[in-house]
Amino acid sequence: NNHAQKDSYIRIGGGCPAIIGKKLFVQVQRIKAKNKRNTGRYHSKEFYLLTGKLVCDVCGKRMIGNLRFSGRSKTRLATYRCNTHRAMCNNKELNKDYLDAYIAVLIGERLKPKNLRKAVSKVNQQVQKFNSSYDKYHTDVLQQYNEVQDSLANITKAIEKGIFTDDLLQRAERLENEKTKLE
């Protein structure tokens, strides 16, 4: 019965004015389809490309990312929504995948190869700077960790020899706490 109703609908191509061009629409659809195939990554924290950049056009508050699983099939629904309570702002949610993909395509269209090379070069410089400072930090932490391990090993040896004092136990406890922080 429902199928017969659908068959009676009349479809008019281009009956509704398009908001975006056909080429851009096809690109966005491809990105959306690719995202659906890579569903495994959605078990980790969701990445919202436009966090802090979207403002509600109804109440002016920032829009935030929202992820939920709806229906019996637990369909993943990632959106941007107004940070104001629904009772105060009735703005609708925006599909996160569609909007992120749309913006990514627009950025790609506007970045000329020369500008893109400059942007990539700056990002690479920042990455190298971060990596070198991280490597130094990691080395320092590793050295502190090894020193704590050695101190704990010495305390264990002392206890095995029968030296068992409150000060020694308190020091061991402090070192264990420090070891946990360093880990």
Side-chain angles (χ1 to χ4, degrees):
N1 196 8
N2 221 5
H3 187 67
Q5 260 186 329
K6 282 183 182 173
D7 290 342
S8 66
Y9 291 153
I10 299 169
R11 292 192 179 270
I12 301 168
C16 188
I19 297 169
I20 61 171
K22 200 167 186 175
K23 184 182 169 191
L24 185 56
F25 178 79
V26 169
Q27 285 177 298
V28 169
Q29 293 307 316
R30 272 198 213 115
I31 292 170
K32 279 184 72 182
K34 187 178 168 193
N35 284 347
K36 278 183 185 172
R37 284 195 299 271
N38 297 331
T39 53
R41 73 182 190 176
Y42 295 119
H43 293 295
S44 61
K45 191 176 178 186
E46 191 74 28
F47 176 74
Y48 293 90
L49 178 69
L50 302 172
T51 295
K53 293 168 182 67
L54 288 178
V55 177
C56 175
D57 64 345
V58 174
C59 70
K61 292 270 176 113
R62 289 198 183 273
M63 297 185 86
I64 58 168
N66 181 52
L67 178 66
R68 66 180 181 276
F69 296 89
S70 64
R72 267 189 238 157
S73 60
K74 295 293 177 203
T75 306
R76 175 191 155 278
L77 194 61
T79 61
Y80 290 104
R81 71 176 183 195
C82 182
N83 204 12
T84 306
H85 194 274
R86 282 184 183 262
M88 293 183 263
C89 179
N90 60 355
N91 199 359
K92 290 180 179 162
E93 292 177 291
L94 302 169
N95 182 301
K96 173 231 178 255
D97 293 332
Y98 182 85
L99 195 57
D100 281 1
Y102 175 69
I103 295 300
V105 169
L106 285 181
I107 290 169
E109 283 180 351
R110 276 155 183 72
L111 275 177
K112 295 181 174 126
K114 185 181 173 186
N115 295 340
L116 189 57
R117 277 193 293 275
K118 277 184 187 173
V120 169
S121 177
K122 277 186 180 178
V123 169
N124 284 339
Q125 285 171 9
Q126 288 296 106
V127 168
Q128 285 171 354
K129 191 176 171 185
F130 172 82
N131 284 347
S132 63
S133 66
Y134 179 82
D135 287 345
K136 186 190 177 325
Y137 171 74
H138 183 264
T139 304
D140 291 347
V141 169
L142 193 59
Q143 186 180 342
Q144 290 171 34
Y145 181 80
N146 289 335
E147 287 169 8
V148 168
Q149 286 280 74
D150 290 346
S151 297
L152 282 169
N154 289 338
I155 289 172
T156 304
K157 284 177 191 169
I159 290 170
E160 284 171 355
K161 289 178 183 174
I163 303 166
F164 197 78
T165 65
D166 286 343
D167 286 346
L168 205 57
L169 285 175
Q170 285 172 4
R171 175 139 171 75
E173 195 177 333
R174 281 196 305 272
L175 286 168
E176 282 294 343
N177 289 336
E178 198 175 329
K179 179 184 164 187
T180 304
K181 283 180 190 172
L182 291 166
E183 280 173 343

